[in-house]
Amino acid sequence: MTYLDLNLDLSSEDQAVRDAAHDFAAGVIRPAGIALDRLSADAVVAPDSPLWPVLRQAYELGYHKAMFPEEVGGLGLTPLQGHLLMEELCWGSAGLAAVLLLAAWPFAKLMHTGNQDLINEFVIPFCACSDASMAGAWAITEPDHGSDTLNVGSASWRDPAIRMQLQARLDGDEWVLDGQKSAWVSCGPTATHAMVNVQLDAARGPDGGGCMLPLDLVGVSRGRPLDKHGARDLPQGELFFDQVRIPQHWMFVGTDTYGEWVVGNLGFGNTAVAVLALGLARAGFEEALAYVKSRVQGGKPLAEHHAVQVRIHRMFTQVEAIRAFTRAVWMTNARVYPALAEYAYAAKTFATETAKQVIDESVQLHGANGVTRAYLVEKLWRDARTMTIADGENSILNRIGGQILNDSFPRSVVNRIA
């Protein structure tokens, strides 16, 4: 269907960004996402996978650098244009849209440091890349540590009894990394560079630091891609580090600001996951609307039945609520560093839970057809279920957000406007 955007002040440039992204999502991303969903986890990242042509086309269009400023070679889109772009790409495939977001994430974090040496070394080459030969991942999760790595401000945050599996020690002017990250590292099997959370001092518990490193270094290896239920078009897999040496300046976050950085970085990621959920919800609603208009039961299309009309409009309301909230948070956090975490967590938890409800209703309206692979809603349902856990399980995020609102969160990690 054609939407009336509730922002009646979209410029011709805004609309052009949205329309071009929609055409790309409809013609390239969605078909590729469906094809990738049917493949084995190994085949998704194989050289002949549909993943690579999609990424190359996206890079040619500059979508990987959409939000980077023009002075480093980015497209310099406004926050609103960035949201319009990402909604359309997420509507096409949340998994593939996440691949593009992750491709840029580590380089965006380096931009925020203001460190010109790191910008010259990593950011400018990334923005100049037009063939998908540079792409990022964020490696924080570990086999024995998920929520542990996010509990900034909790009693466990600096508990020395909690040892992380990836640790770094300073050896002269180099850091030496040993350990591993879990199979849940998004784009772990495909990224060329990773932003890595690492424990610097075991006596400080999960508190640590963050570094940037290419994944072609001696001592870096990868596990097999993870076989999973949802978001199968988003490759995930383990990373292993065996005496990996990196220059000292690549450790761009240290223990003095690590907690604040984690909260802000997670806020950035949650803002993005909220938009992934928006795309999923909108896709699920549109599939349901088209289906009830064409499916005849009781002598007339389902859409002419009173009960179905009520359900469809309720779904429409939920989608518009997700869009309004996520757009507001996206546009704010595009201008704030670190991200306003309590709003980001609220957007992510609300958007993913509501998207799950919308798509569950869409499956229900499809009847038995909704659980077959012949209909897109079956894939959307699995993807939406995954998003309630991605970038922080929702209950954990609500707890951390509640700490912030209750003023029990350490003030050193509360966000500031850049």
Side-chain angles (χ1 to χ4, degrees):
M1 65 175 290
T2 301
Y3 285 87
L4 171 67
D5 197 290
L6 293 180
N7 182 342
L8 300 181
D9 298 320
L10 293 184
S11 68
S12 58
E13 291 82 6
D14 297 337
Q15 295 175 42
V17 168
R18 179 194 62 196
D19 295 347
H22 182 78
D23 290 344
F24 182 67
V28 177
I29 286 189
R30 179 167 287 182
I34 293 171
L36 289 166
D37 183 66
R38 308 291 174 85
L39 298 178
S40 69
D42 290 322
V44 167
V45 300
D48 60 350
S49 167
L51 174 67
W52 307 114
V54 172
L55 289 181
R56 285 192 290 270
Q57 291 179 67
Y59 272 58
E60 288 171 3
L61 292 168
Y63 286 163
H64 66 298
K65 58 180 180 180
M67 298 294 286
F68 285 81
E70 293 178 353
E71 55 262 32
V72 296
L75 297 187
L77 296 188
T78 67
L80 174 58
Q81 290 169 348
H83 188 272
L84 293 167
L85 169 72
M86 287 313 305
E87 178 184 333
E88 297 303 330
L89 299 185
C90 297
W91 170 89
S93 161
L96 286 174
V99 172
L100 278 172
L101 281 164
L102 283 155
W105 194 343
F107 305 98
K109 294 292 104 177
L110 293 184
M111 274 290 302
H112 289 150
T113 68
N115 185 316
Q116 195 58 50
D117 290 338
L118 290 174
I119 291 171
N120 291 340
E121 190 171 1
F122 293 109
V123 179
I124 291 176
F126 172 73
C127 288
C129 174
S130 60
D131 59 359
S133 59
M134 287 183 73
W138 180 26
I140 181 172
T141 179
E142 297 188 351
D144 292 340
H145 301 286
S147 301
D148 283 351
T149 62
L150 309 178
N151 273 341
V152 182
S154 70
S156 65
W157 181 244
R158 292 187 175 171
D159 183 349
I162 301 177
R163 288 183 61 87
M164 308 305 291
Q165 286 157 290
L166 179 62
Q167 301 195 12
R169 60 180 174 84
L170 193 59
D171 182 17
D173 60 356
E174 292 183 319
W175 287 99
V176 183
L177 279 65
D178 271 298
Q180 78 167 98
K181 292 297 181 179
S182 80
W184 295 105
V185 176
S186 296
C187 294
T190 57
T192 62
H193 294 71
M195 175 175 58
V196 182
N197 292 58
V198 57
Q199 189 174 46
L200 302 183
D201 181 357
R204 295 172 65 100
D207 194 3
C211 64
M212 177 73 171
L213 65 133
L215 293 177
D216 60 355
L217 300 177
V218 174
V220 177
S221 59
R222 312 182 201 225
R224 288 187 64 183
L226 179 66
D227 187 19
K228 54 201 166 105
H229 176 68
R232 294 178 59 84
D233 40 3
L234 169 61
Q236 294 177 296
E238 296 167 303
L239 294 174
F240 299 92
F241 304 86
D242 182 11
Q243 295 287 301
V244 177
R245 290 183 170 270
I246 65 172
Q248 189 171 350
H249 72 279
W250 286 3
M251 189 72 67
F252 67 96
V253 182
T255 54
D256 55 339
T257 58
Y258 181 69
E260 181 179 25
W261 179 75
V262 168
V263 171
N265 208 34
L266 187 61
F268 180 92
N270 274 208
T271 303
V273 174
V275 183
L276 297 179
L278 166 60
L280 283 167
R282 186 181 130 200
F285 165 68
E286 290 181 1
E287 291 298 305
L289 183 61
Y291 185 81
V292 299
K293 286 182 176 180
S294 62
R295 175 69 168 172
V296 175
Q297 290 288 282
K300 58 185 178 181
L302 285 172
E304 294 183 15
H305 291 268
H306 173 80
V308 172
Q309 292 170 351
V310 171
R311 293 161 72 181
I312 284 289
H313 190 259
R314 184 184 299 119
M315 294 166 69
F316 171 76
T317 304
Q318 290 173 303
V319 172
E320 289 298 322
I322 298 173
R323 174 187 278 154
F325 190 16
T326 60
R327 181 177 292 180
V329 175
W330 172 283
M331 292 179 64
T332 298
N333 279 342
R335 300 170 57 190
V336 171
Y337 181 77
L340 295 176
E342 61 270 44
Y343 290 96
Y345 301 166
K348 188 267 183 178
T349 55
F350 170 76
T352 55
E353 295 292 348
T354 307
K356 188 174 69 170
Q357 294 170 14
V358 170
I359 295 168
D360 192 68
E361 185 73 284
S362 182
V363 169
Q364 201 73 13
L365 285 169
H366 278 75
N369 285 332
V371 296
T372 69
R373 285 195 157 189
Y375 289 82
L376 179 63
V377 291
E378 185 271 340
K379 175 182 185 295
L380 298 176
W381 189 90
R382 288 184 283 109
D383 291 350
R385 187 64 187 84
T386 299
M387 292 302 161
T388 63
I389 302 172
D391 276 50
E393 189 274 329
N394 281 357
S395 294
I396 295 295
L397 295 175
N398 281 322
R399 185 193 65 77
I400 299 173
Q403 280 187 302
I404 296 173
L405 296 177
N406 195 42
D407 292 327
S408 58
F409 212 63
R411 303 314 295 173
S412 62
V413 299
V414 172
N415 303 274
R416 63 180 184 273
I417 296 178

